[in-house]
Every structure is written in C-alpha cells, then in structure tokens.
Amino acid sequence: MGIPYHKRTHKCGELRGSDVGEEVRLAGWVHTSRDHGGLVFADLRDHTGLVQLRFNVDHVPGVHEQAQTLHNEDVIVIEGTVVSRGDMVNPKLPTGEVEVEVAAMDVLSRADPLPLQVNDEFEANEDLQLRHRYLHLRRPEMQAIFRLRHRVGRAIREYFHEHGFVEIETPFLTKSTPEGARDYLVPSRIRAGAFYALPQSPQIFKQLLMIAGFDRYAQIVRCFRDEDLRADRQPEFTQLDMEMAFVEREDVMAAVEGCVQRIFKEALDIEIELPLPIMPEQEAMERFGIDRPDTRFGMELQDVTELVREVDFGAFREAIEGGGVVKCLVAKNAEALTRKILDGLAEEVRGIDAAGLPYVKVKSGDDGVTFATGIAKFVEPICGQLCEQVGAEPGDVIFFMPGTFRDVCKYLHYVRTRLATILDVIPKGRWDTLWVVDFPLLDWDEEEERWVSTHHPFTAPLDEDLAMLDSDPGKVRAKAYDLVLNGMEMAGGSIRIHRREVQQKVFSLLGIGPEEAQEKFEFLLEALRFGAPPHGGIAFGFDRWAMMLAGVESLRDVIAFPKTTRAICPLTDAPGTVSQAQLDELSLSVKPPPNKDV
Ligand code: ASP
C-alpha cells in the first residue's frame, strides 16, 4: 500500500514552467525544510536536482502536519500538482519557476541527526567525510563529478571501440610487475608461503595480448601501488591502458590524440586542435627545468653561463668551475615581489636543498637599466648585456641558479611554479596539452650506483641509438612519450622491445641478471621467442584526468571510496585484522608491529 514510489512520474530536477498543472509523483531526500506556520516548504532532492515542495495547511491538513515533522535527509515520496511560483521565481534552480503543491506524502525512511550536512558547502574534516562518504557523495557537486567521470569513461570506451580496440580484462592476482613501486601482496592459501602481487599496471599482459594477435587492446583498469600517498596518489587507482601492434610512435600518439580530443569535447565541450605539439625531453628540461612543462605561461629558464663567466660571485664561479651551469628566469612586472616574499621563496628553495636564491631587481638607470638589491653589486658590470640577452626590463626581477644542470632544473622549476602562483600569471580556462618525447632510456641512480629505467624495462631504444647501448648507455634515447596537460603528466607510454636479445641486453644493463630475469619475466622472454609483433602503447591516469576536468584539487574527490593519506578507508576501517583461523589457513604468523602508533 502507500504511494507507489517505484512509479515516479518525473525526477525532481526535471520540472519546468511548461509542467504547470501536471499531477506528479516524486521521490527523494529532504534537502531542507522551512516551517512558516500555515505553510511548510521543503526542497526535495534526487540525482537530477532539487524542486520546492509546498505543504499548505488549508490544502491538505494531515499532510501539512506530517511535513512539520520532516528532517533533513528523510526519504519521502509525494504526490501533488505542479504550480507556478509567480514572481517568486528562484533563478538559482533550473526548477525555480515552479513548486509542487503536495497532496499526499509517505515517509519511506527517517534520517537521524546528521554527522555531516548534505545541504551546505561546509567542508567537514576529511576523516568524517570519508567515514560517511555516502552522505558526502549525496552533495550535488559530488554527484556532478561522478557523472562527469562516467561520461569521460564512456567517451573513451566508445572512441576505442570505434577504432578497433578490444577490451580484455587482465588478472589482478598476478606476479610483481615492473613499474618500480612497492607491491601489494596477497598470500596464497594453496601454495603456502607464496604470494600474488596486485598489478601495478597490466603492462606485461597487454604486451602478451599483442603477441597473442589481438592487434589493439584498451582497458579501463584498476592498478595498485603501495607508495607513500599524497593528494595526487591513491593506493588503488584507475588507468586507461592501451596497446597496439605493428605501430611506431606516431601511430600510438595519433590514436591517443583522437581520444584526448574526444575527452575534451565530452567533458568541457572544448575543441582541441590536433596534432598536439611535440617537445623533446632535453628541450623541456632546458626551457622549463622539468619533463612535464606547464606551457601556459612564459618565465622560461635561460642559460647565462657564458655571460656570467667573468662575474666575481662565488656561487657562480664554483658552479662553472665544477662543470655546472648558471641559469636564470625573469619574472616580468614583478613589483608585487616584496622583500618578505623574496626571502620566503629563498627559504622554500633552501628547504628543497638549494644553497640559496640569488636575484636582482631591474630598475631604470641613467642610461638604460640598472640592478638593485640581491646580488646587484656582483652582476652590475654585465647589467646591460644581461638584460638584453634575457629580455629583462625595469620592474622585472631576475632569479639566478648556479649548480649542476640537474639541480638547476629542479630548483628553477620550483621557483617558476611558485612565481606563477604568486604573480598570478596562469591564464584561466587554458588547457595546454603537449607530448614530451625522446626521454633517456636509462637514468643513473646515484644512491644505488646503477642504471634504472626512466619508464620501464620494456621500453625500446630509438633505432639510431641502439649501438650506444654498449658504448654510452646514458645517451640512449627511448621510444617513449608522455602526454602533459597544464604541467601534469597525464599519460605515459612507449614502443616496446619486441626482440628477445635486445630485451636481455636492457635487463643486463639494469643489473637484472639472467637468473633474476628468468625468475621475474620468464614468461615474457619466452613469449618473445614465438613471434612477437612490434608493438607499443600507453596508459592514462584516468583519475587524474577526471580531477583535472572536474577542476578539483584532490584525487580523493574523483574516487567514490578513496583512502586517506595513511592508506586507510575510514568508512570500512580497512585494512583490518583477521582471525587466527584465517592466518592459519594461509600458513602466516604476524609479528607485532614495530611501533604501536603506526
Ligand atoms: N604500464 C605503464 C605505466 O603504468 C604505461 C605504459 O607503458 O603503457 O606507467
């Protein structure tokens, strides 16, 4: 009995002026209610939006009385008539021209006093939000994010389907994969003492799918990495993972670009122009100090090593004599950079291990420009020449950084990014997408004193650099490509090694001896013996795309049930302990934690 809530005539957010006079049946949550004596108003909410309900004591007294007992988030079903709000239109609501004069109501479920309000924007502390995530997710802005995420996912799937890709699921219970983060392990019951690893990505499986002849594969897939977490990391996250056979770099990049264009159109109704710009990694480092440059604004790094060679400033001399460089960047119209801000910035840079942040302010002098404050007295002799070379004018501040190329890149990238915020130079609503290519295949790990893969060990070297694998491995460039959006790495991939001997050579350069290679990657090495097509692919950080497109700051806002920075789920309280019987079944015993507070 009661009102048939399963037969709603409309959704709350759908009603418009043209519906006036309609008899409707709606169900949803009480977003707010206001008791004005003879009149009670409530906003009823479902996933489509809000509509105002009106309970008039003169109309149906029993229902009015019932309405007086409503609490926020009670679940109700109502029947009533759509009426015009006359000149009381609420321009903030799409349904604002109308309200529903309620004739009958059933309360389907009551809500206790709420630990977290749904109807305001107050940000409760994160633990509370995650503990009662279902309440937080009821908020219209959260609903909008997940619908956007869904639309983007659907657009991606449609795109790949239209282009001949097959979606194939790859295992979660598998062996360690090579992305280099810590694995999540799952103990095996049947093979006591052995562990599965949850995949950090489906990398090897998608390569095997190419060897298996599927030609094109794409999957929206969960990946797992046990890393220290930050706002843009989660222990489990979603990738759009794809792979193509018989391709070179430009083919994978073209396929991805089409997908990126589709994503922007779907999510933001923006047309992205193709092809996307391509920048070699070396150029990105030279100009921006980072391999994922934010090209929405200038302030590029400029090399002034030659110009300052004769300058009598200790830090410059030391860097140059040590084979390093001196680079600078020019902050234009930087009057806003007060002494306090400059000191603060220098302090921050010291915090990431730089020795300091030498700078000068450019002023107008008697005949042109002159320098003031900072290290002015040291660089004044080359003032005119320097300003001309780096394009500095009165009102600008020049920041210098002496050191090794790597350090200078790191510190000036930091300074550039901070200045962009301080001086507010990033144009709003701009989306700068580009490819970064020609990464070094290998990176020298100073601490471990060995080569490590810049991407992963299956990345193919550029054909023209192959010979250097023996003579000068550090110079070998990779057939890799990263997609960068507004300074964020949004996707990364490569053409893979498809010849066993090259793969073995790269393994040995990485210090993965034949035995270890055999143990870890035997199945791949073996597969490479039975006819492997040339192939390559890429993976997109799907959550990161959702985050960027939704304009939110944290990955947690685009994952329905995320973990905290301590990798805990406050909703379910995972991870949890298990019973002795479960441990016994798995042949495991647990040591007491090293520190009880952790
Ligand atoms: N599997 C790689 C990653 O997750 C991406 C790729 O090379 O396709 O980073």
Side-chain angles (χ1 to χ4, degrees):
M1 285 265 296
I3 302 173
Y5 50 78
H6 61 296
K7 291 201 167 26
R8 290 176 279 178
T9 59
H10 294 80
K11 305 287 166 357
C12 299
E14 286 172 357
L15 298 177
R16 296 290 179 272
S18 53
D19 294 311
V20 168
E22 286 278 318
E23 299 291 320
V24 296
R25 185 180 304 119
L26 304 172
W29 286 260
V30 175
H31 194 63
T32 54
S33 63
R34 300 169 296 283
D35 189 347
H36 292 283
L39 276 180
V40 172
F41 292 102
D43 284 344
L44 186 66
R45 187 192 71 240
D46 66 16
H47 60 286
T48 62
L50 300 174
V51 66
Q52 177 160 290
L53 307 180
R54 174 190 165 98
F55 302 83
N56 188 340
V57 70
D58 299 330
H59 191 53
V60 194
V63 175
H64 172 267
E65 214 168 279
Q66 238 183 325
Q68 288 182 311
T69 71
L70 287 177
H71 307 117
N72 287 354
E73 301 306 310
D74 282 348
V75 179
I76 62 173
V77 55
I78 62 101
E79 286 176 340
T81 313
V82 181
V83 295
S84 167
R85 287 176 69 168
D87 44 8
M88 298 294 283
V89 167
N90 178 352
K92 287 199 206 125
L93 285 184
T95 59
E97 278 179 58
V98 297
E99 58 192 356
V100 178
E101 181 82 61
V102 178
M105 169 169 79
D106 282 343
V107 176
L108 302 175
S109 134
R110 288 279 184 197
D112 280 350
L114 300 165
L116 180 78
Q117 295 306 322
V118 176
N119 65 9
D120 67 21
E121 275 158 27
F122 175 75
E123 286 296 321
N125 88 43
E126 191 161 58
D127 250 24
L128 199 63
Q129 273 181 26
L130 296 183
R131 167 100 177 76
H132 300 282
R133 186 64 166 172
Y134 45 86
L135 289 179
H136 192 230
L137 290 174
R138 279 185 201 166
R139 288 186 174 183
E141 65 273 19
M142 295 305 284
Q143 295 267 322
I145 290 174
F146 285 92
R147 279 164 210 283
L148 172 77
R149 185 180 165 120
H150 163 75
R151 287 207 318 275
V152 173
R154 196 195 57 197
I156 291 172
R157 285 203 167 91
E158 278 167 7
Y159 174 86
F160 282 111
H161 169 69
E162 285 161 23
H163 289 79
F165 287 75
V166 192
E167 179 154 6
I168 302 177
E169 290 147 290
T170 47
F172 279 178
L173 294 177
T174 181
K175 266 181 109 164
S176 194
T177 53
E179 275 70 23
R182 200 177 294 112
D183 287 320
Y184 275 100
L185 299 174
V186 180
S188 160
R189 177 176 56 83
I190 292 169
R191 203 191 266 185
F195 292 82
Y196 302 98
L198 300 181
Q200 295 183 30
S201 89
Q203 182 61 36
I204 300 179
F205 289 105
K206 66 177 172 174
Q207 293 191 232
L208 294 177
L209 289 172
M210 294 303 101
I211 297 174
F214 283 99
D215 201 70
R216 291 177 165 209
Y217 140 97
Q219 182 187 191
I220 295 185
V221 63
R222 197 66 58 80
C223 302
F224 307 85
R225 297 184 191 174
D226 186 1
E227 296 175 295
D228 291 333
L229 306 180
R230 301 187 306 239
D232 63 349
R233 281 206 194 141
Q234 279 281 306
E236 49 179 314
F237 59 95
T238 306
Q239 278 190 354
L240 162 67
D241 190 50
M242 66 95 121
E243 197 76 9
M244 303 163 81
F246 303 108
V247 285
E248 269 301 343
R249 279 199 287 190
E250 59 267 28
D251 307 296
V252 182
M253 288 158 74
V256 169
E257 291 188 353
C259 181
V260 168
Q261 193 176 47
R262 185 76 69 89
I263 292 175
F264 272 103
K265 182 77 194 145
E266 178 61 45
L268 304 171
D269 201 20
I270 289 176
E271 294 288 349
I272 293 279
E273 258 183 61
L274 300 183
L276 298 175
I278 300 178
M279 191 183 291
E281 185 258 5
Q282 185 62 28
E283 180 185 336
M285 296 304 286
E286 292 278 2
R287 292 174 53 193
F288 301 95
I290 188 92
D291 56 8
R292 45 176 176 80
D294 191 340
T295 49
R296 289 174 299 171
F297 61 97
M299 268 201 284
E300 293 187 16
L301 280 50
Q302 307 197 50
D303 194 313
V304 291
T305 315
E306 284 316 310
L307 205 59
V308 303
R309 199 171 277 281
E310 302 304 326
V311 166
D312 187 20
F313 182 58
F316 288 179
R317 207 174 328 111
E318 216 175 285
I320 296 171
E321 281 168 8
V325 295
V326 180
K327 297 191 90 167
C328 74
L329 62 79
V330 181
K332 306 296 292 171
N333 306 317
E335 278 88 1
L337 298 178
T338 57
R339 181 66 192 264
K340 193 166 163 222
I341 294 177
L342 290 165
D343 287 349
L345 198 54
E347 200 50 48
E348 286 179 38
V349 181
R350 270 187 225 107
I352 55 166
D353 296 338
L357 181 58
Y359 69 89
V360 288
K361 289 189 167 178
V362 185
K363 306 270 181 200
S364 352
D366 296 339
D367 39 33
V369 283
T370 181
F371 286 149
T373 69
I375 61 163
K377 74 171 189 221
F378 300 101
V379 280
E380 188 61 38
I382 55 162
C383 177
Q385 228 185 330
L386 180 67
C387 287
E388 198 182 318
Q389 184 178 319
V390 302
E393 294 161 332
D396 299 348
V397 176
I398 308 178
F399 293 91
F400 298 91
M401 190 56 71
T404 62
F405 181 75
R406 205 186 258 248
D407 283 350
V408 167
C409 284
K410 176 176 160 194
Y411 303 138
L412 281 186
H413 161 67
Y414 181 89
V415 173
R416 179 175 179 267
T417 312
R418 287 287 291 122
L419 285 173
T421 314
I422 297 170
L423 297 171
D424 194 19
V425 296
I426 301 180
K428 302 272 171 295
R430 184 156 162 180
W431 300 93
D432 264 23
T433 314
L434 79 154
W435 289 105
V436 177
V437 298
D438 293 352
F439 290 84
L441 184 73
L442 305 166
D443 218 8
W444 184 251
D445 186 320
E446 298 280 353
E447 263 172 42
E448 296 194 20
E449 299 199 334
R450 64 177 188 96
W451 293 110
V452 291
S453 298
T454 309
H455 275 74
H456 53 59
F458 314 123
T459 302
L462 285 188
D463 299 329
E464 59 267 39
D465 292 356
L466 251 182
M468 284 194 295
L469 273 181
D470 290 313
S471 55
D472 198 352
K475 284 237 167 66
V476 177
R477 287 162 301 167
K479 286 188 183 172
Y481 30 75
D482 275 4
L483 187 73
V484 177
L485 170 60
N486 293 355
M488 297 268 271
E489 186 195 323
M490 302 301 285
S494 59
I495 297 298
R496 326 298 182 186
I497 298 168
H498 69 283
R499 295 213 326 262
R500 184 181 155 94
E501 62 287 1
V502 181
Q503 186 64 77
Q504 272 170 326
K505 160 145 271 154
V506 170
F507 279 154
S508 71
L509 275 171
L510 294 171
I512 305 176
E515 267 165 41
E516 191 184 348
Q518 196 69 16
E519 193 218 307
K520 280 195 179 148
F521 306 121
E522 186 201 348
F523 56 107
L524 176 70
L525 288 171
E526 191 174 67
L528 290 177
R529 278 178 26 213
F530 298 119
H535 60 286
I538 197 164
F540 288 47
F542 185 59
D543 308 296
R544 201 175 283 182
W545 273 94
M547 180 175 110
M548 292 288 272
L549 297 169
V552 293
E553 302 279 309
S554 165
L555 274 186
R556 292 192 277 280
D557 287 335
V558 297
I559 295 177
F561 298 104
K563 310 276 189 293
T564 64
T565 42
R566 299 184 69 215
I568 285 165
C569 168
L571 175 72
T572 59
D573 201 24
T577 49
V578 297
S579 69
Q580 189 58 46
Q582 284 171 299
L583 288 176
D584 290 345
E585 231 171 15
L586 294 166
S587 313
L588 289 181
S589 65
V590 178
K591 284 202 224 162
N595 173 353
K596 281 223 170 79
D597 298 334
V598 175

